[in-house]
Amino acid sequence: MNTALTKAESEYRDGPVVTALGILYSAELIGLAGGAAFVGTRGQERLDRGTTVLAVVLLAAAAMAGWHAIRLLQGARVLKVTGMALQSAILITAIAVATVRPIIGVPAVIVSAGVLAGWGRLARLGPPLAVADRPAPVVGTTTPPSAGATAAGASRGVSPGGIALMLVTSTLVLVALSVRGDMAVKLAILAIIFIPLERLFALRPLHVVRQGWRTDVVHYLVNGAARKVGLVGAVAVVGTVLQALVPAAFRSAVVATPGWVQIVAALGITAVGGYAGHRAMHEVPVLWRFHRVHHSVREMDWLAAGHMHPLDQIAIRSAAVVPLYALGFGRVSLGAIVILLTFQDIFIHANLRLTCGPLRWLIATPQFHHWHHARQPQAYNSNYAAEFPLVDALFGTLYLPADRWPAEYGIDDDQPDGYVRQLVWPLR
């Protein structure tokens, strides 16, 4: 009786959302099928060659969306990574279409965003989604090394393995600086900006030269160069493949739009793409192995933003930037977005007691992102967006208490010391 009652209550609670999602999915399927029919029949005249492949892709997207609608009717209440990727791609495409054909793109944005919002609502009503390899913290399982143990380790001196790791790390830093010699200058500028800010508006009393700061400097210098190389490679390979699916006439129309329109649309595209990429790093076990390097930090400050595995950093940033290249956005919007993403990423990790008042619902703040790093179960699976909390509200993953901050950060796993050890940690 209780089980039947619970099921009936669940169906009553979810019923309006499921009905709305059914309507939205119907509109989405009509739009995708209609787009495939138009591209297949009149695309050769209105667009350019190669539209047959695009028509097939649109039909495949319609088939996948239909399958997700069937799963919804069968009782699914959580949109998995593949569904999230598909709906994010549809929303990104709709935003791009809205820049050149608002009469078509704006309704498409409303429908695709509504589908994501509906699944997000179901996720909030249902049980929490599990995160790959992210168990609830157990008190007493991880303790910092005692002063005696530290002194004992120091008294043993430096081992040959430690000398080898130091040489490898130094070589990586020198190579990174030779590739991007301006990295050290940028690091110095960021230090001049954020160190005084963290002293004036400190959330927690951290030392400037906290434990592990040298490793984080290496992360910043080496990963910055690796990210540039990786992004260029991702754009050259993945971006070029995706660009082949976008008609040249459409890309030319995007480039012809005013610069401010491109920047606004690019912000929306990178926000959705970055969210999808970031969330995938949490929910796919093999990706989480790389992303946990970033979540292993126990002290949050501006320098912790660069504490990431380079492959993790390349993957998340590529998910945000590659769609811009494929859809034809110009260098002005691309350059502005990269600069904004870099500065915003450092700001939201900073040790700053800033909530920004009502603006915290519009712009990502340190409080917003600190909860993403919180070692507290109620905050897991939340705040994946890097720029706009409204994206998390749309996807149903927003967690932002008004007057509270996390008690502690990190994960249960203890990461190894040193950049090279942390580099190979996901492979072990």
Side-chain angles (χ1 to χ4, degrees), residues 34-176:
F38 172 80
V39 170
T41 56
R42 304 181 65 183
Q44 299 288 347
E45 304 171 4
R46 298 290 187 88
L47 300 175
D48 50 21
R49 293 179 297 175
T51 53
T52 303
V53 177
L54 177 58
V56 172
V57 171
L58 290 173
L59 286 176
M64 291 180 63
W67 169 243
H68 295 146
I70 293 173
R71 288 189 63 253
L72 173 71
L73 297 177
Q74 291 176 340
R77 293 298 178 264
V78 175
L79 191 63
K80 295 184 178 180
V81 173
T82 53
M84 179 191 64
L86 172 66
Q87 292 300 327
S88 298
I90 294 174
L91 178 55
I92 286 172
T93 304
I95 294 173
V97 172
T99 62
V100 296
R101 291 289 187 273
I103 194 172
I104 299 174
V106 171
V109 169
I110 294 173
V111 170
S112 55
V115 171
L116 288 168
W119 281 105
R121 176 63 178 169
L122 291 178
R124 287 195 296 269
L125 293 174
L129 180 66
V131 169
D133 197 24
R134 186 77 182 272
V138 179
V139 177
T141 57
T142 57
T143 56
S146 62
T150 304
S155 65
R156 288 195 296 267
V158 180
S159 65
I163 295 175
L165 288 175
M166 182 176 63
L167 292 175
V168 172
T169 302
S170 301
T171 302
L172 290 174
V173 171
L174 292 175
V175 171

Side-chain angles (χ1 to χ4, degrees), residues 149-306:
T150 304
S155 65
R156 288 195 296 267
V158 180
S159 65
I163 295 175
L165 288 175
M166 182 176 63
L167 292 175
V168 172
T169 302
S170 301
T171 302
L172 290 174
V173 171
L174 292 175
V175 171
L177 290 176
S178 66
V179 174
R180 292 197 64 186
D182 60 337
M183 291 298 298
V185 176
K186 292 179 179 178
L187 180 63
I189 294 174
L190 291 172
I192 292 172
I193 294 173
F194 280 97
I195 289 178
L197 285 176
E198 290 187 337
R199 301 292 289 181
L200 292 172
F201 307 101
L203 173 64
R204 289 179 172 84
L206 296 180
H207 295 290
V208 175
V209 288
R210 58 167 172 77
Q211 184 179 6
W213 73 271
R214 294 182 183 86
T215 301
D216 287 350
V217 168
V218 176
H219 271 284
Y220 178 87
L221 296 175
V222 177
N223 293 353
R227 181 182 63 197
K228 181 179 181 180
V229 175
L231 279 177
V232 171
V235 168
V237 179
V238 182
T240 302
V241 172
L242 294 178
Q243 194 179 69
L245 302 177
V246 182
F250 180 83
R251 297 198 305 271
S252 299
V254 171
V255 173
T257 57
W260 69 269
V261 175
Q262 289 192 47
I263 292 176
V264 171
L267 283 173
I269 290 172
T270 54
V272 175
Y275 175 97
H278 189 182
R279 184 168 166 180
M281 300 302 294
H282 280 258
E283 295 184 10
V284 179
V286 67
L287 299 180
W288 168 251
R289 294 179 67 86
F290 292 89
H291 191 58
R292 68 176 178 174
V293 173
H294 181 55
H295 276 270
S296 63
V297 295
R298 301 290 176 88
E299 294 179 318
M300 293 284 287
D301 64 1
W302 70 277
L303 196 54

Side-chain angles (χ1 to χ4, degrees), residues 307-387:
H307 187 105
M308 299 180 69
H309 195 283
L311 295 181
D312 170 33
Q313 197 172 34
I314 292 169
I316 295 177
R317 192 60 61 88
S318 296
V321 174
V322 167
L324 296 179
Y325 174 80
L327 291 166
F329 285 83
R331 292 184 178 181
V332 174
S333 57
L334 278 170
I337 291 300
V338 169
I339 294 173
L340 175 64
L341 290 179
T342 301
F343 188 84
Q344 176 72 359
D345 191 44
I346 295 173
F347 170 69
I348 59 179
H349 287 86
N351 181 38
L352 297 174
R353 185 181 290 276
L354 295 178
T355 60
C356 298
L359 290 178
R360 70 181 183 274
W361 303 107
L362 300 177
I363 302 173
T365 62
Q367 183 191 35
F368 167 82
H369 195 69
H370 280 218
W371 277 112
H372 176 70
H373 281 263
R375 196 165 178 252
Q376 297 170 229
Q378 67 268 28
Y380 290 174
N381 324 320
S382 65
N383 300 3
Y384 296 110
E387 301 86 20

